[in-house]
Amino acid sequence: MPDRKPIILTRSCGTRIAVPTGASVLDAFRAHGIAHASVCGGKARCTTCRVRVLHGLEFVAAPGPLEVDALARIGAPPEVRLACQLCPTADLTVMPLLPADATAEDVMGKGGLDGREGEVAVLFVDLRGSTTLGEARLPYDVLFILNRFFLEMNRALVATNGHYSNFTGDGLMALYGLERDDPAQAVRDALAGAKSMLAAMERINRDLATELAQPLRIGIGIHAGEAIVGTMGPPMAQIVSAIGDMVNTAARLEGLTKDYGCSVVISRHAAELAGLSLPAESLRTAVVKGRAEPVEVHALDRIS
């Protein structure tokens, strides 16, 4: 019986390699020592390995659910596929869409991203009306008030197993659930942190009553789900933070506290994950910027 003709994969630069049966384009590149971007390690959890199919697209199988979801997030056209999911069954010509010498190690080294995927709870808190603080005060007087605010917020985090992540101008981002894999407890801790923050604001307003024309207020957003968590940023200023759709949603929920005139907005998903029993009248259906589907949330004035 004659040998089966090998499948030939051609790169846009002219390099031709043989592809073993059942192997992906990314596997073939690696087998031949060709560097190719793949931050997630070839799990269809990113789009850095994407390629444009120049010839042979008609012989390529339709993408699976993971690849469809990943490519939809960047609005990729039909000829763009993930190298980690694309398994040639006939000769194929592709063009890498990221630098050919960018490897996972390059991207995940110092000054890039060194992370893992996991379920965490994210809390955003923002100081309301902080821009008006400087209208009738000297800059150092404003700095004194803001430093007191951040001191109290950080104390609340430390006391409830939270981790300070990012400074966001007039507020901060915090992560819960970094120490152990228990998403439900992470949400409960985040709510405890929010409760502690609200109590801290009462103390600040009481202590600075003679300094403030009106009491300071905060808005808090809480959400939970999968995110990439790890060290990020430039080499000399790295932080432990999280990125992903869930994080963006949490930030939007904090913004909804202005629309609803409340102190805390928590997603229904996070509340149910923690086994919370919240009043039905607090439930809202919110249109969140950046999401195609509405998000069900609870708008709360206080946390019991």
Side-chain angles (χ1 to χ4, degrees):
M1 184 175 180
D3 292 336
R4 183 176 180 180
K5 182 181 178 182
I7 298 170
I8 300 300
L9 176 64
T10 305
R11 285 162 49 93
S12 54
C13 62
T15 303
R16 292 163 56 87
I17 58 176
V19 182
T21 302
S24 70
V25 169
L26 181 61
D27 290 336
F29 286 160
R30 288 174 170 173
H32 287 81
I34 299 174
H36 192 82
S38 178
V39 171
C40 73
K43 301 174 183 176
R45 302 298 295 173
C46 73
T47 63
T48 55
C49 72
R50 61 187 182 270
V51 296
R52 187 181 304 278
V53 179
L54 302 179
H55 300 290
L57 183 62
E58 65 271 24
F59 303 116
V60 171
L66 285 177
E67 187 178 6
V68 167
D69 180 65
L71 293 174
R73 288 174 179 265
I74 61 170
E79 69 274 14
V80 171
R81 298 291 299 271
L82 298 185
C84 67
Q85 302 297 304
L86 180 58
C87 298
T89 57
D91 292 354
L92 204 63
T93 301
V94 300
M95 178 177 69
L97 295 180
L98 288 180
D101 59 352
T103 66
E105 288 73 20
D106 292 331
V107 178
M108 295 175 70
K110 292 296 183 181
L113 166 65
D114 181 11
R116 61 174 177 82
E117 190 171 30
E119 286 198 41
V120 294
V122 177
L123 179 152
F124 279 88
V125 58
D126 185 70
L127 181 62
R128 296 284 179 256
S130 60
T131 54
T132 63
L133 288 175
E135 292 180 356
R137 291 180 177 83
L138 294 172
Y140 279 106
D141 292 335
V142 176
L143 184 63
F144 170 77
I145 295 173
L146 291 178
N147 280 340
R148 173 68 188 278
F149 165 72
F150 284 113
L151 173 65
E152 293 289 355
M153 296 302 100
N154 189 64
R155 283 175 174 170
L157 293 180
V158 172
T160 56
N161 303 312
H163 174 83
Y164 166 80
S165 175
N166 286 337
F167 171 71
T168 59
D170 299 331
L172 58 83
M173 167 185 165
L175 302 176
Y176 283 86
L178 297 186
E179 303 301 325
R180 57 178 177 173
D181 186 16
D182 188 346
Q185 185 60 47
V187 176
R188 288 191 287 268
D189 286 345
L191 279 164
K195 182 177 181 179
S196 183
M197 289 176 178
L198 292 173
M201 291 308 299
E202 292 182 1
R203 291 195 300 273
I204 292 174
N205 285 323
R206 184 172 58 249
D207 294 346
L208 302 180
T210 59
E211 298 290 325
L212 301 171
Q214 57 186 11
L216 297 175
R217 296 187 60 211
I218 56 175
I220 299 172
I222 300 172
H223 191 33
E226 287 193 351
I228 302 297
V229 181
T231 54
M232 307 175 192
M236 301 304 293
Q238 290 194 314
I239 58 173
V240 175
S241 191
I243 57 175
D245 178 65
M246 184 274 289
V247 179
N248 299 334
T249 299
R252 301 298 185 190
L253 298 192
E254 179 273 310
L256 287 177
T257 60
K258 299 177 184 177
D259 299 335
Y260 295 143
C262 64
S263 298
V264 180
V265 171
I266 179 173
S267 67
R268 181 176 182 178
H269 167 74
E272 291 181 348
L273 184 64
L276 301 179
S277 178
L278 297 175
E281 57 268 24
S282 70
L283 190 63
R284 307 281 192 277
T285 299
V287 176
V288 177
K289 184 178 179 181
R291 290 186 63 93
E293 299 295 328
V295 178
E296 290 192 316
V297 302
H298 288 277
L300 308 172
D301 289 320
R302 63 182 62 85
I303 299 174
S304 57

